[in-house]
Amino acid sequence: MQLNGYYQSPGRAAREAARLTLHERHLVLDCNGQQQITLLNAITVSDALGTIPLTLSFADGGRFVPDDDAAFRQWWQQRHRPGLVHRLERHRRGVGLTLLATLAAIALYVWVILPAASSALASNMPAYVERQVGQQTLTLLQSSGFSDGKLTPEQQQRMDRLFSRVIPGEMKQDAVPLRLKVMHFDGGANAFMLADGTLVVSDDLVRMAKSDDALAAVMLHEIGHHHYRHPMRMLVRSSLISLSYMWLTGDVSGIGDTLLQSAAFVHQMQFSRGMEREADAYAIAQMKAQGRSLSAMAEIYGQLQQSGEKESRGLSLPEWMSTHPDMPERIKVIRAAE
């Protein structure tokens, strides 16, 4: 059996017209007046995937694509059993089952394996890695408009004393010790925890709080993030998502990069909401243990909600687009715990 087609020499992108003669145990390739005889078991034929033409690959890296793919496909399949993918393609039930299995595997990876892996890795991360990540983040913040807080010496001393009293006993022995840093930045009252245990509190938040218990509630919420290693878990998880995408596609450029960023954004928002609820529960428990007022906690949360709405000029995002759970829902949980 003879087949006309195109031959691509090893290491070259150009294709040349060629003829392939098929025998039972070997084949003969004619290209540019030269013949190449190869045993049949020394070539590799690509898997049959839909209507994609089969490609014959030689041991030296050369490739031949026949013009009459149907004729070669019939000849090849008479002598070799089709691959699993091709057999599944011919059966709708097999395609459906494969699709369901793929979706189930993706769901298992995203909602079970990723959280477990990120939690395990973050919990066992060396302390010097957390310190390095936190220091780099702080450097980035300082170069992005964050500056030292504009508090009076008395206010700063009050914050330092309160922070020292608020830290739970077990957290004082943590491998990555907690420290407080009051900073000034645009965006209204806010607070967040860095990976190295640095609690950044805006001076606007200090001025907003009406009591020490209100400030303590915010501090304990952020300490809860450090207790559960949420910053490192977020970092590890987003890195695993990126690495998984790169492993599956081999490239993260163009449209793939855009899809990756969008998918990672939505997925990260969902994970962050779970962290916020976990940190709230930790703060509530510690507020009770320290005999502090949960009413003050609910009050400062309400003030933060109003401040956030003012900063966003009344724009209200749906919960799935927010990094935090719905604030009225969080306040309701706090009220219920009183």
Side-chain angles (χ1 to χ4, degrees), residues 13-50:
R15 299 189 306 170
E16 301 172 302
R19 174 177 294 179
L20 192 69
T21 303
L22 303 173
H23 299 276
E24 288 299 321
R25 295 182 179 275
H26 69 280
L27 49 82
V28 180
L29 176 68
D30 291 306
C31 183
N32 291 332
Q34 296 183 348
Q35 285 192 343
Q36 176 181 340
I37 302 175
T38 307
L39 293 176
L40 200 60
N41 58 11
I43 67 166
T44 302
V45 178
S46 61
D47 291 330
L49 297 174

Side-chain angles (χ1 to χ4, degrees), residues 58-74:
F58 296 82
D60 61 359
R63 298 192 302 172
F64 177 82
V65 180
D67 290 336
D68 192 348
D69 177 69
F72 174 70
R73 190 181 293 249
Q74 182 180 6

Side-chain angles (χ1 to χ4, degrees), residues 307-326:
S307 175
E309 291 174 350
K310 182 179 179 180
E311 290 296 327
S312 62
R313 297 181 180 179
L315 177 62
S316 179
L317 296 177
E319 183 182 355
W320 67 271
M321 281 290 290
S322 172
T323 59
H324 290 62
D326 183 55

Side-chain angles (χ1 to χ4, degrees), residues 285-335:
Q286 291 298 329
M287 290 284 284
K288 287 183 175 181
Q290 296 181 20
R292 298 186 182 275
S293 170
L294 290 181
S295 295
M297 182 177 183
E299 182 180 13
I300 190 70
Y301 275 34
Q303 290 178 280
L304 289 171
Q305 179 188 11
Q306 293 175 1
S307 175
E309 291 174 350
K310 182 179 179 180
E311 290 296 327
S312 62
R313 297 181 180 179
L315 177 62
S316 179
L317 296 177
E319 183 182 355
W320 67 271
M321 281 290 290
S322 172
T323 59
H324 290 62
D326 183 55
M327 187 62 82
E329 174 195 335
R330 298 171 69 186
I331 295 174
K332 183 178 179 181
V333 172
I334 297 170
R335 294 292 189 193

Side-chain angles (χ1 to χ4, degrees), residues 105-127:
I106 293 174
L108 177 67
Y109 180 74
V110 170
W111 280 286
V112 178
I113 297 178
L114 266 182
S118 60
S119 180
L121 289 172
S123 299
N124 293 281
M125 194 70 65

Side-chain angles (χ1 to χ4, degrees), residues 237-248:
R237 188 164 187 171
S238 61
S239 299
L240 288 176
I241 292 173
S242 300
L243 291 173
S244 300
Y245 190 93
M246 293 175 66
W247 177 71
L248 287 172

